[in-house]
Amino acid sequence: MYPINPKEAIKKVLSEAERSGERRVLVIKGHEFNSIKDVVEELSREKSVLCVGLPETGNVRTISYEETDSVLGSTFDALFADLSDELRPNDLGILVETVRGGGIIVFLVPDDWLSRLTRFQRELISPPYTERDVRQAFKRRFLESLGSEGVWLLDGEKLMGVERSVEKKKTEKPQSDDPVESLSMSEDQLNVIRTILSSAASPKKQIIAITANRGRGKSAALGLAASLILGRRISRSIGVTASSPDGVQIFFSFLKKGLEAQGMKYNEVKRDGKTVAVISGRRMVFYRSPISMSELDIRIKIVDEAATVPVHLLFRIARKSRLSVFATTVHGYEGSGRGFTMKFLKAMESKNTRFLRLEMRIPIRYPEGDPVELWLYRLLLLDAEPASVKEDEIRYEKLDPEKLDEEKLREFYGIYVLAHYRNRPDDLAMMLDAPHHHMRAVLMGDNVVAAAQICEEGRLNKSMIDAIMERKDSPPGHMIPSRILVHYGNKEFCKLWGWRIVRIAVHPELQGRGIGSRMLSFIHEEAEDAGVDWIGAGFGASPELLKFWLKNGFLPVHMSPQRSDVSGEYSVFVIKPVSEKARRSIEELNAEFKRRILSTLHDVYFDADPEVIRLVLSAGTHEERPRLRFSQILRLRDYIREFNTYEMASDAIKELLISYFMSRAGSLPEDAERILIAKNLQGRPWPLIVRIARKKTMKETIDKVRECVRSLYELYSDVLPRLE
């Protein structure tokens, strides 16, 4: 290979891209932007060029990395980005996807790239670790991925890569006389638009699921279809949701294009700079959070990036609409579509409801088989899959991110992709580079069958503790100690060393066999040997997850006072003591936590799932005697004897329940605990208690509540007068 300078390299690689109609990547190592400035200006005269993190040049559009989201949905012929001081994997995924087929992506990196930190890497530093402790595994992964077909590296004067000779494929845009349909860029998009439109016009209940890889124009098709529903007066309102308003901005962009194509005027409603509603005359399309959308009873609902929304909310959204459209990326930085496919779609297909499933395969900006798409998928593990299961003995293994081979990393990360986690490229880089994050696996034979990501927390000094308490610039990380400080002021706990389990997941074919619990046991043993004081976790509180953590000896110590807008769940933090010093502290925290929950159930947590509350109150035993006055005992006994109503004894029942859940939880049947929590501690109305108690009539429900209270009273026969 003869010596070549940056300008010549760009022209050579771009020429190959133009001949093939595919995209090409060129990474230029060890050269400043000035060496290619002339080429950038020359290209900008004939092509659309985007520069990121570079000095402004002529008429070229130049943005900072903080503005990456602003180019979502845009298309360029060339991208130039300086990775010297910033390489944020989420941005990498977004920016590469803005370049059309026949275009080039040029990244600049310095010679000493592996000995310096990007801004993203600096954000990964959590005390007591320093800059020297940050790993460079993701950058190495990036550099090692270069030199394959379509992905070139210019190192000094040496251009390395594999020439790819393919003929330019002709792609014909679908034809339609309809002005909105003519905006579609592929037959897949046109099919989605027409299917949604015909289903919206049908009087029958319909569920449509759309799956696609990234770059297939899924959100654009949804927006165009919605514009036709309004334009043809099929429905006066459409609700759209995603995990946040950011997730529906492309949808709204194409909704507006569709309305404009029909000559329809509209007004936008914005919140924090994001479109949340478009109104045209008496018709409107509006955004709501997933939890709010699940509670709305409207005719048409659209869920974009459905994989990022908890499955139980998807079922509720489908239940309360005549037409519900669920679209998601199967492989992408928005989230994992695999859990959506395995759980939601399989359940929908098994029901009698009219169900349609569409798949979008054709890329919009570049041809199928584009080598840059394949490179990006491999680099960011967007298509990672767990290994095939072969029965064997299991063993626990610490994985070193800097020595981990590609196959094992893909198996490890593939388990997360199939789990309920929302996976983003930033998460991968954090796992590989953050000094306080660690990877642990359970292997069956040579294959990963369970994965855990651990984050070190605690060991805070006085200045860090004071910064958190005073809401100043608190140290990054330390999620559990921060909440303990803010809610309890327990400074001693925050000096202890803890491991927070950020993620834990088991191969889907092996779930329910105790492997997750075995992994927690392995982690506990390792923590003991290392001198760690506690292990903890934080998660959206569902009964299934709570049961898993509680059965493994973890105690709840905090529950968020607000529901998540996305999942509708309250976040719960649980901790398991490892050292004796931590045990005393955690038991005190659990006792205080239970008292706080019990005293705020009627207010802060009045709408929480009674089963979730039952579970968080079932862990931990703390001696507490009932404090009933004589008049309360009298009214309580008369209620049990059916001499008076529930309302006359409610205050006495509450006093007894507070003592029960502090000291004797689990002594009553689970259904009795749920009923008493819902009626007495949360103050739910009687019609709702009928459903919770699973009774047919109000009388049966009233009798059931009285029976539960009688059983509760008899538990305290040692301290209360006996019933005659």
Side-chain angles (χ1 to χ4, degrees):
M1 179 73 70
Y2 59 87
I4 189 170
N5 64 44
K7 293 179 185 179
E8 293 170 337
I10 291 172
K11 290 179 179 179
K12 174 181 170 61
V13 174
L14 178 57
S15 175
E16 185 182 289
E18 290 173 336
R19 287 196 308 272
S20 66
E22 299 172 338
R23 299 174 297 172
R24 293 292 183 266
V25 167
L26 171 61
V27 176
I28 299 177
K29 187 178 180 185
H31 294 275
E32 300 289 337
F33 176 64
N34 285 337
S35 65
I36 62 169
K37 184 177 179 181
D38 293 345
V39 180
V40 175
E41 291 179 344
E42 181 182 331
L43 286 176
S44 68
R45 297 188 190 106
E46 299 177 355
K47 299 176 180 291
S48 57
V49 177
L50 175 66
C51 286
V52 186
L54 290 165
E56 292 193 8
T57 305
N59 295 319
V60 177
R61 181 173 178 184
T62 303
I63 64 171
S64 67
Y65 281 98
E66 288 74 18
E67 299 170 298
T68 296
D69 284 349
S70 69
V71 297
L72 272 168
S74 303
T75 305
F76 301 92
D77 295 305
L79 164 70
F80 293 84
D82 187 354
L83 303 183
S84 301
D85 298 315
E86 186 59 288
L87 174 59
R88 191 175 295 273
N90 281 1
D91 294 343
L92 187 69
I94 293 171
L95 293 170
V96 168
E97 289 298 280
T98 66
V99 178
R100 62 167 54 93
I104 188 170
I105 297 133
V106 179
F107 295 122
L108 300 176
V109 300
D111 283 325
D112 63 347
W113 201 37
L114 293 179
S115 61
R116 58 199 280 185
L117 300 183
T118 62
R119 284 191 292 272
F120 175 76
Q121 287 177 302
R122 290 191 184 93
E123 292 171 7
L124 302 180
I125 302 167
S126 179
Y129 290 99
T130 67
E131 290 189 2
R132 292 191 300 273
D133 301 307
V134 176
R135 299 186 287 261
Q136 297 284 358
F138 187 79
K139 282 183 188 172
R140 286 197 182 92
R141 178 178 180 79
F142 178 88
L143 293 173
E144 289 167 2
S145 72
L146 307 177
S148 57
E149 277 195 347
V151 185
W152 296 79
L153 170 65
L154 177 64
D155 191 350
E157 295 183 332
K158 186 178 181 182
L159 183 63
M160 292 172 279
V162 178
E163 291 194 15
R164 177 176 166 85
S165 299
V166 295
E167 291 185 9
K168 192 171 185 177
K169 300 173 184 175
K170 290 184 179 180
T171 55
E172 294 186 3
K173 183 181 173 184
Q175 300 298 310
S176 173
D177 294 331
D178 183 276
V180 176
E181 289 186 349
S182 66
L183 295 173
S184 60
M185 301 299 292
S186 71
E187 290 293 339
D188 283 347
Q189 277 193 322
L190 187 58
N191 182 41
V192 166
I193 292 167
R194 289 176 173 173
T195 301
I196 292 175
L197 197 62
S198 63
S199 297
S202 170
K204 297 180 180 179
K205 184 176 178 67
Q206 179 76 68
I207 296 172
I208 300 174
I210 302 163
T211 55
N213 281 353
R214 300 163 69 233
R216 269 57 181 174
K218 164 185 56 63
S219 298
L222 296 176
L224 295 175
S227 75
L228 282 171
I229 292 172
L230 295 192
R232 297 184 185 182
R233 300 175 180 270
I234 295 172
S235 179
R236 293 182 62 175
S237 64
I238 301 172
V240 60
T241 190
S243 58
S244 73
D246 290 332
V248 294
Q249 295 312 297
I250 294 176
F251 167 88
F252 276 121
S253 174
F254 279 86
L255 167 69
K256 291 181 289 184
K257 288 181 181 179
L259 295 175
E260 290 164 2
Q262 298 172 82
M264 297 174 65
K265 295 181 179 179
Y266 59 84
N267 294 312
E268 281 184 83
V269 178
K270 293 196 172 188
R271 187 170 65 230
D272 298 327
K274 307 291 182 183
T275 302
V276 293
V278 170
I279 304 167
S280 180
R282 293 185 174 184
R283 303 178 187 280
M284 71 181 298
V285 181
F286 60 90
Y287 169 83
R288 291 288 186 276
S289 68
I291 183 67
S292 297
M293 189 62 70
S294 73
E295 295 164 354
L296 283 179
D297 194 354
I298 60 171
R299 182 177 174 183
I300 300 175
K301 296 179 181 178
I302 295 174
V303 185
D304 203 355
E305 291 311 334
T308 65
V309 178
V311 171
H312 71 275
L313 290 185
L314 299 180
F315 286 124
R316 284 169 58 182
I317 288 170
R319 199 160 48 238
K320 291 192 172 185
S321 60
R322 199 177 76 190
L323 171 63
S324 48
V325 181
F326 300 93
T328 200
T329 308
V330 176
H331 296 122
Y333 54 82
E334 295 90 350
S336 165
R338 306 294 293 183
F340 170 81
T341 302
M342 293 182 68
K343 297 176 184 177
F344 181 71
L345 294 190
K346 283 187 178 179
M348 286 292 106
E349 287 169 345
S350 67
K351 294 181 181 292
N352 295 323
T353 306
R354 194 158 170 255
F355 176 73
L356 284 176
R357 182 172 175 180
L358 306 176
E359 184 177 1
M360 300 178 72
R361 297 176 179 271
I362 305 169
I364 297 299
R365 295 185 179 91
Y366 44 82
E368 291 185 79
D370 178 80
V372 173
E373 181 179 64
L374 300 176
W375 166 76
L376 195 65
Y377 273 46
R378 288 194 299 267
L379 174 66
L380 302 181
L381 296 182
L382 298 178
D383 57 351
E385 299 277 358
S388 299
V389 175
K390 296 178 182 178
E391 292 289 339
D392 206 336
E393 293 294 318
I394 67 170
R395 70 179 190 278
Y396 180 66
E397 188 170 310
K398 304 176 188 179
L399 303 182
D400 185 341
E402 296 188 295
K403 297 178 182 177
L404 194 57
D405 66 76
E406 181 68 12
E407 184 179 358
K408 193 162 286 186
L409 177 61
R410 291 182 68 82
E411 290 179 7
F412 182 95
Y413 202 72
I415 289 174
Y416 289 152
V417 171
L418 281 185
H420 62 281
Y421 294 109
R422 184 180 182 185
N423 298 288
R424 290 176 173 269
D426 281 1
D427 300 327
L428 172 63
M430 175 181 287
M431 189 170 67
L432 292 175
D433 285 355
H436 60 302
H437 280 250
H438 308 289
M439 301 164 65
R440 298 292 183 264
V442 168
L443 281 77
M444 185 174 282
D446 293 326
N447 300 124
V448 177
V449 296
Q453 181 181 352
I454 296 170
C455 170
E456 294 184 52
E457 297 192 345
R459 296 188 288 181
L460 301 181
N461 59 35
K462 184 180 183 303
S463 63
M464 296 175 191
I465 290 172
D466 291 343
I468 295 172
M469 292 285 287
E470 295 170 17
R471 310 296 201 277
K472 293 181 179 178
D473 292 331
S474 58
H478 305 285
M479 190 178 291
I480 290 177
S482 293
R483 279 161 177 78
I484 297 301
L485 272 176
V486 169
H487 291 275
Y488 300 102
N490 189 323
K491 297 181 180 181
E492 292 306 310
F493 173 83
C494 298
K495 297 175 184 177
L496 302 177
W497 184 18
W499 283 358
R500 176 170 61 88
I501 299 173
V502 181
R503 300 178 175 201
I504 181 170
V506 175
H507 195 297
E509 294 180 24
L510 297 172
Q511 290 174 3
R513 292 174 53 173
I515 292 176
S517 296
R518 287 286 301 278
M519 171 165 261
L520 289 180
S521 296
F522 286 135
I523 292 171
H524 190 275
E525 290 171 11
E526 183 188 351
E528 278 185 314
D529 293 340
V532 173
D533 294 296
W534 56 265
I535 305 168
F539 50 90
S542 67
E544 181 184 20
L545 282 177
L546 274 168
K547 287 175 182 176
F548 170 73
W549 291 100
L550 298 183
K551 80 175 182 180
N552 282 288
F554 287 74
L555 293 175
V557 295
H558 175 67
M559 186 167 171
S560 63
Q562 290 93 24
R563 290 177 180 268
S564 162
D565 283 341
V566 176
S567 67
E569 297 167 336
Y570 292 94
S571 294
V572 168
F573 286 85
V574 296
I575 311 177
K576 183 177 184 178
V578 178
S579 70
E580 189 57 36
K581 188 190 300 182
R583 182 178 304 281
R584 293 192 300 271
S585 185
I586 291 167
E587 287 175 353
E588 290 172 5
L589 289 170
N590 173 254
E592 180 63 21
F593 164 74
K594 292 178 73 167
R595 291 189 186 97
R596 195 180 70 174
I597 293 292
L598 287 165
S599 62
T600 55
L601 273 174
H602 69 289
D603 182 8
V604 179
Y605 305 106
F606 75 96
D607 62 346
D609 181 351
E611 175 65 1
V612 167
I613 299 301
R614 186 191 75 79
L615 287 167
V616 298
L617 291 176
S618 68
T621 301
H622 312 279
E623 191 59 39
E624 187 137 339
R625 294 171 63 88
R627 299 168 183 169
L628 293 173
R629 299 185 300 279
F630 173 75
S631 65
Q632 289 178 310
I633 295 174
L634 183 65
R635 283 183 282 111
L636 184 56
R637 293 178 68 187
D638 283 349
Y639 165 64
I640 293 169
R641 293 168 173 172
E642 302 185 35
F643 294 166
N644 59 27
T645 64
Y646 165 85
E647 287 72 19
M648 288 183 66
S650 176
D651 63 317
I653 297 169
K654 183 175 182 178
E655 290 298 328
L656 209 53
L657 279 175
I658 290 173
S659 171
Y660 170 81
F661 280 112
M662 288 300 298
S663 60
R664 304 191 185 188
S667 302
L668 293 175
E670 292 177 3
D671 68 327
E673 291 185 341
R674 275 193 298 272
I675 291 167
L676 292 174
I677 285 169
K679 182 62 200 148
N680 186 268
L681 297 179
Q682 291 182 305
R684 300 286 188 96
W686 281 108
L688 189 56
I689 303 304
V690 173
R691 296 207 326 247
I692 293 171
R694 298 179 180 176
K695 298 297 180 182
K696 294 181 179 179
T697 67
M698 183 66 73
K699 183 180 184 307
E700 287 179 319
T701 305
I702 290 172
D703 289 344
K704 177 64 176 178
V705 171
R706 197 187 307 270
E707 176 190 323
C708 293
V709 174
R710 180 181 290 110
S711 298
L712 175 66
Y713 187 96
E714 288 173 350
L715 276 177
Y716 286 91
S717 58
D718 56 332
V719 294
L720 295 175
R722 293 181 61 83
L723 291 170
E724 296 176 2

